Amino acid sequence: MEDRLAGLGAAWREATAVQLYTVHDIHSILSGEILPRAGNGAGLTWHYCRPPIEELEYEMDVRGVAAERLLQTY
């Protein structure tokens, strides 16, 4: 993910949200790999599900925005 961020001219410190999609246990990599990089206040959401692409076992996306607004419809 660092390479992808760098390719976009960004870095982990600019991340405001991280989403993980996998049914595998990620606890062993959270403290050593993910949280030290994304621990700058970026929210981490683990979606306990398989990624939408059949061959993948793990998917991650990262975003960084100045302001995020959520609209809720009823």
Side-chain angles (χ1 to χ4, degrees):
M1 194 54 69
E2 285 178 20
D3 290 341
R4 290 179 179 203
L5 287 168
L8 295 169
W12 275 108
R13 67 182 171 279
E14 299 167 83
T16 57
V18 178
Q19 306 225 24
L20 279 157
Y21 305 84
T22 187
V23 294
H24 300 286
D25 185 1
I26 61 168
H27 290 98
S28 62
I29 63 168
L30 277 176
S31 64
E33 297 293 327
I34 298 170
L35 294 179
R37 290 171 173 85
N40 62 343
L44 171 69
T45 304
W46 175 11
H47 299 276
Y48 188 75
C49 63
R50 294 203 177 275
I53 299 173
E54 195 170 309
E55 297 84 26
L56 294 181
E57 292 292 321
Y58 171 90
E59 183 177 345
M60 174 189 260
D61 65 68
V62 178
R63 71 177 178 268
V65 296
E68 187 166 344
R69 298 192 177 153
L70 302 175
L71 301 177
Q72 185 173 8
T73 59
Y74 297 94

